[in-house]
Amino acid sequence: MRRSLAVCMIAALSLSVPALADDAPKHGGTLTFMIPADTPPSFDGHRENTFATIHAIAPFYSVLIRANPNNPADTTDLVCDVCTEIPKPTDDGRTYAFQIRGDVKFQDGSLMTAYDVAASWNKIVDPPEGVISVRRGYYSMIDKIDTPDAKTVVFHLKFATAAFLTALADPYAFIYEKKILDRDPHWFETNIMGSGPFRFRDYQVGQSISGVRNPDYYRPGLPYLDGFVGIFADKQAVRVAAIKSDRAAIEFRGFPPATRDELVAALGDKITVQESDWNCGALVTANHARKPFDDARVRRALTLAIDRWHGAAPMSRITLQKTVGGIVFPGTPLAATKTELEQLAGYWPDIEKSRIEAKRLLKEAGAEGLTFELLNRNVDQPYKFNGTWVIDEWSKIGLHATQRVLPTGPYEQALRQGDYAVAIDAECQNIVNPLLDGTKYLPHSVSDANYGNYEDPQEVDIYNRMLRETDFARQRDLMRQFEKLVLDTQAHEAFLLWRYRIVPYRSYVKGFKISPSHYVNQDLATIWLDK
């Protein structure tokens, strides 16, 4: 019986300091990098789903398991962080018992135990009343979490699934102190107390965040840096100027091709470039609780109007985006083929036929000439570009949209409160795991990461069957049913384009290895400076 692609092979390796004869890592120095946002909406990794949080906060925290930083392109290569080894499951694949290291210290000097790990994961899997966990929907397979002693945490699953370990390797799944969570589960939204490679030093709202080397870090020899400074800047021109003038060395998220070419032309061999396909896409989310977007005909019209096949090439030259695709990361076995995509609304090869159908649906729904507001995020790449693109596409079927652009925090709050009609949204994941990546599209009652304000029992049923399915062919067929329902029949979401990651950076920055995710391996432990 063929296993699903999420986990083909897990290497239960411990992280180690690379030993490179010709390019031996150097200790010391402060890395200054750019964060392309105005400010994180909060510091709580369990609550947030944005690079603004992970790039700023990940260096301060540890996780249970993670993607191997020495092999980030293979996101099925997982290693322990605070565990001693990745266990083999027992009970027919339903029980995983992790042993926790005994040398991990929080910044206040307290030793980490299995009780801290369990408390953190319980907050993610089953958050208390009033506490947000945006990836709660990833963990529907978890039944309970036990701590038989201070060194052991046991995950009991409701059913065996190959998606579990990659789900556990979530870089946002910071391990918090249980005693603090017991006192106030909201404390970590505005405070930092971790056990990662760096200790918190300073935060200037809307300006910068900084950390210093943790002398008690449990990985000998790491981190290499004495410290780091992350500078917030939502304008791309500011970030490019900082790298060009060497006031900053890198932006980990990525730049469009024209910016890469600009930096290489200006700096020559002082710039190094790494590129990768990117497990990150853009969406248009309609608020089903707002009329007329409670009508599937109106939502289908929105997606039918957008010409992805002819829009991808020009968008790839000016934005971070490149590839036409559905809800599964292109190139992976569960992804739709071009022929399969062309059967879905919004992907028909004849755009004129598509727009004629969109106009018919709007007339039938009594929504001809509709005027509405598009919520967008104050981040140029690719949010503002996407907003401009889709508004122009919608005008071709007689719709009139204007943009309301908000800073990251208020934008996220507006999505969560349903304070919008239609929004530019994003679907960015870490470990490539199409089964769990699909949770973004589940109703909010299942997944806090979905902001469409709808219920769809049929969609949930298909997803649950897909998650449990062990036969790949049947699993792939269920994914096509799921995709058809989400993008076409109900048009809960309109997927735009998949991104392509381009990271140009100062050549003295060493130890950075690009991955298909801008969330993975952002703790900076293995970064060093050759100057």
Side-chain angles (χ1 to χ4, degrees), residues 283-354:
L283 310 174
V284 172
T285 298
N287 186 349
H288 296 46
R290 292 273 189 98
K291 290 186 176 300
F293 303 105
D294 60 336
D295 191 324
R297 293 171 297 183
V298 176
R299 300 193 300 269
R300 284 190 93 230
L302 293 182
T303 193
L304 283 162
I306 301 169
D307 188 356
R308 295 158 176 83
W309 297 115
H310 292 98
M315 289 295 282
S316 73
R317 291 191 287 270
I318 60 173
T319 76
L320 305 172
Q321 300 167 126
K322 182 178 181 179
T323 307
V324 177
I327 64 176
V328 179
F329 188 43
T332 56
L334 284 178
T337 64
K338 186 174 188 290
T339 299
E340 288 169 335
L341 282 174
E342 288 180 341
Q343 308 307 308
L344 301 176
Y347 296 86
W348 299 350
D350 186 342
I351 188 60
E352 292 309 314
K353 174 185 175 183
S354 184

Side-chain angles (χ1 to χ4, degrees), residues 17-78:
V17 179
L20 306 175
D22 298 326
D23 203 15
K26 299 176 183 177
H27 285 87
T30 298
L31 174 72
T32 301
F33 63 95
M34 305 302 293
I35 303 174
D38 41 28
T39 188
S42 88
F43 295 158
D44 187 353
H46 305 173
R47 172 188 171 90
E48 304 304 340
N49 197 30
T50 170
F51 64 87
T53 292
I54 200 77
H55 287 197
I57 308 302
F60 304 119
Y61 285 100
S62 305
V63 292
L64 180 58
I65 65 173
R66 60 182 294 187
N68 187 347
N70 296 320
N71 187 26
D74 180 4
T75 55
T76 64
D77 183 3
L78 306 180

Side-chain angles (χ1 to χ4, degrees), residues 92-113:
D92 294 325
R94 292 184 298 170
T95 302
Y96 292 77
F98 289 86
Q99 298 299 307
I100 306 303
R101 298 175 63 118
D103 58 353
V104 183
K105 289 183 179 180
F106 290 107
Q107 188 170 333
D108 65 0
S110 302
L111 277 175
M112 180 184 293
T113 70

